[in-house]
C-alpha cells in the first residue's frame, strides 16, 4: 500500500495518504452514498459512518438542524450493523476505492461491543484500519458519559480492540475534554496508532417561537465553523502529549481551515459538516492545498505539521510544561 509520497503525500499508519484530506465519519455513509457527486479517489481518505454490533434505527427526525454558526445533529448512530457492513458495504469499498484510504468508524455502548465489531470486520478487505468513536455525544456508554471523557474507560476500550486487530487504530476524542493530557496518554498507552480530535460539541438549539428544539432528539452535537477554533486548540493541546500522529476535524470548509489544523499539529485533516452544505468541499480543500504548497515552496506538507508560532514556541511557558 505504500507509494512514493508527493508534495501533499503523508506517510503514516503504515501507508501513504496521497493528500492529508479525509471525509469525516458520518458525512459520506459508506462511500457509495456520495460517489455520484464526488470522486472519492481524489481524497486522502474517508471515514465511514460509525458501525455498531446490531443495526440501529437512529433518533427521531429531524436529525440535523442549522443555525447561524453551524449545525446540530443527533442521528443516533443509525447504521445497518457490523454483519451487514461486512457483507454489503465493505465489498463496494474494496472494489471502488483504490487510492483513498478507508477507515471504518466503530461505536458501542460497552467496551465489549467495540471489540465484537472489530472482530467481525477485521479480516474483511476494503479498508485500512479503524477509527474508534469514543466520543459520540448522542449515544453515550450505558449509564455514563462518552468513553473519551473518562481516560480509564477510554483506555479499556482501546486495549480491548488492540488485542483484536493489528490494523491501524485511531481513537476519536471529545471537544469538551477538560484536560487532554490524561486521555491522550491513556489511549496511546493502550495501543492507539493515532488520535482524532474532535467530535461534535454537545449543543442545544431552540426555536424561540415554539420553545422546542430544532432536532427531534432535543440536544445534539454542534459542528460547523464555530467548532474550528475548539478543534484547532484541542489538536494543539494534545500535541504536547502525543507520541502518535494527530488527525484534526471540526469546522473545516476551506483550505485555510485545514492549514490551521496542520500548523497546530495534525498530520491529517477531516472535512465534516461542510460536506452537507456542499459535497465537493473536501475536493476543493485538496485543490487549495496544492496551490498553497506551490505558492509557499513547501517541499512536503508534513513540513507544516506542528509549526504554529505561538508565544513561547509551543504555547505559553506554563502550558508547554504540563
Ligand atoms: C450520531 O450518530 O448521532 C453522531 C455520531 C457522532 O457524533 O459520533
Amino acid at each position: 500500500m505504500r507509494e512514493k509520497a508527493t508534495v501533499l503525500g503523508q506517510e503514516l499508519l503504515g501507508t501513504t495518504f496521497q493528500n492529508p484530506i479525509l471525509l469525516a465519519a458520518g458525512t459520506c455513509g459508506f462511500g457509495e452514498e456520495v460517489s455520484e457527486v464526488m470522486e472519492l479517489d481524489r481524497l486522502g481518505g474517508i471515514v465511514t459512518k460509525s458501525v455498531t454490533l446490531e443495526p440501529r434505527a437512529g433518533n427521531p427526525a429531524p436529525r440535523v438542524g442549522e443555525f447561524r454558526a453551524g449545525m446540530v445533529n443527533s442521528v443516533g448512530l443509525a447504521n445497518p450493523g457490523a454483519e451487514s457492513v461486512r457483507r454489503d458495504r465493505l465489498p463496494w469499498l474494496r472494489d471502488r476505492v483504490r487510492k483513498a484510504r478507508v477507515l471504518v468508524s466503530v461505536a458501542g455502548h460497552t467496551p465489549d461491543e467495540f471489540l465484537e465489531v472489530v472482530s467481525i470486520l477485521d479480516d474483511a478487505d476494503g479498508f485500512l484500519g479503524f477509527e474508534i468513536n469514543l466520543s459520540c455525544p448522542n449515544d453515550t456508554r450505558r449509564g455514563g458519559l462518552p468513553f473519551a471523557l473518562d481516560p480509564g474507560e477510554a483506555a479499556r476500550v482501546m486495549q480491548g480492540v488492540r488485542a483484536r486487530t493489528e490494523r491501524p487504530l485511531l481513537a476519536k476524542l471529545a471537544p469538551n475534554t477538560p484536560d487532554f493530557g490524561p486521555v491522550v496518554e491513556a489511549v496511546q498507552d493502550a495501543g492507539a496508532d493515532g488520535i482524532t480530535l474532535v467530535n461534535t460539541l454537545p449543543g442545544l438549539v431552540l426555536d424561540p417561537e415554539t420553545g422546542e428544539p430544532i432536532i427531534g432528539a432535543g440536544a445534539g452535537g454542534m459542528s460547523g465553523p464555530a467548532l474550528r477554533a475548539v478543534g484547532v486548540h484541542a489538536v494543539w493541546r494534545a500535541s504536547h502529549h502525543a507520541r502518535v500522529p494527530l488527525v484534526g476535524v471540526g469546522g473545516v470548509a476551506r483550505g485555510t481551515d485545514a492549514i490551521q489544523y496542520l500548523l497546530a499539529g495534525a498530520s491529517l485533516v477531516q472535512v465534516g459538516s461542510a460536506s452537507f452544505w456542499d459535497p465537493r468541499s473536501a475536493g476543493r480543500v485538496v485543490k487549495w492545498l496544492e496551490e498553497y504548497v506551490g505558492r509557499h515552496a513547501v517541499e512536503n506538507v508534513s513540513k507544516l505539521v506542528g509549526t504554529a508560532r505561538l508565544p513561547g514556541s509551543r504555547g505559553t511557558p506554563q502550558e508547554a510544561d504540563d
Side-chain angles (χ1 to χ4, degrees):
M1 260 202 198
R2 201 182 277 273
E3 288 156 18
K4 193 174 175 311
T6 57
V7 70
L8 286 190
Q10 285 283 61
E11 303 220 358
L12 67 151
L13 305 178
T15 190
T16 304
F17 288 75
Q18 62 181 348
N19 63 64
I21 305 303
L22 284 72
L23 284 174
T27 62
C28 60
F30 294 90
E32 196 171 352
E33 291 87 334
V34 298
S35 59
E36 298 278 292
V37 289
M38 65 179 308
E39 204 187 329
L40 294 173
D41 270 338
R42 287 258 307 131
L43 302 176
I46 67 169
V47 187
T48 70
K49 196 161 192 19
S50 289
V51 181
T52 55
L53 184 56
E54 303 296 340
R56 292 212 195 158
N59 286 338
R63 291 172 168 176
V64 176
E66 287 184 49
F67 65 108
R68 257 202 320 272
M71 60 179 260
V72 64
N73 89 80
S74 185
V75 175
L77 298 174
N79 80 99
E83 291 290 0
S84 163
V85 168
R86 181 188 166 103
R87 188 182 60 241
D88 304 324
R89 302 310 197 107
L90 293 181
W92 188 91
L93 287 164
R94 179 196 61 211
D95 296 342
R96 302 291 290 277
V97 180
R98 301 291 177 165
K99 293 184 178 162
R101 302 297 179 231
V102 177
L103 294 159
V104 175
S105 173
V106 176
H109 281 139
T110 62
D112 281 352
E113 187 175 349
F114 284 89
L115 57 94
E116 282 184 59
V117 174
V118 166
S119 302
I120 289 168
L121 301 179
D122 194 45
D123 67 349
D125 296 326
F127 69 106
L128 171 71
F130 297 101
E131 183 179 79
I132 305 299
N133 184 356
L134 301 169
S135 48
C136 173
N138 306 327
D139 189 290
T140 55
R141 86 183 138 99
R142 226 158 247 150
L145 293 166
F147 294 92
L149 295 182
D150 180 334
E153 285 295 312
R156 224 171 115 206
V157 174
M158 294 310 294
Q159 261 157 12
V161 293
R162 181 73 289 164
R164 299 295 174 107
T165 183
E166 290 180 2
R167 290 179 187 263
L169 283 179
L170 298 179
K172 186 168 182 180
L173 302 185
N176 50 333
T177 300
D179 178 3
F180 282 97
V183 69
V184 164
E185 275 155 25
V187 295
Q188 68 191 2
D189 290 350
D193 302 298
I195 298 173
T196 305
L197 304 108
V198 289
N199 209 315
T200 55
L201 187 60
L204 175 63
V205 182
L206 297 171
D207 178 336
E209 297 301 324
T210 63
E212 290 174 359
I214 65 167
I215 55 172
M222 191 279 290
S223 59
L227 188 60
R228 186 167 55 250
V230 176
V232 170
H233 177 258
V235 166
W236 170 67
R237 293 296 295 146
S239 73
H240 292 101
H241 304 272
R243 303 185 301 273
V244 296
L246 302 176
V247 181
V249 54
V252 177
R254 298 166 308 171
T256 45
D257 306 334
I259 290 287
Q260 288 195 58
Y261 275 101
L262 295 170
L263 296 176
S267 297
L268 299 174
V269 179
Q270 299 177 359
V271 178
S273 41
S275 308
F276 290 113
W277 288 300
D278 178 356
R280 294 188 182 83
S281 302
R284 272 209 307 275
V285 173
V286 174
K287 270 184 103 100
W288 191 94
L289 281 183
E290 269 161 5
E291 191 272 320
Y292 180 93
V293 294
R295 185 157 42 89
H296 287 264
V298 177
E299 174 200 329
N300 179 269
V301 76
S302 60
K303 302 278 186 216
L304 297 171
V305 174
T307 58
R309 299 169 63 196
L310 282 112
S313 98
R314 295 297 294 155
T316 58
Q318 69 271 32
E319 280 174 327
D321 282 350
D322 65 15

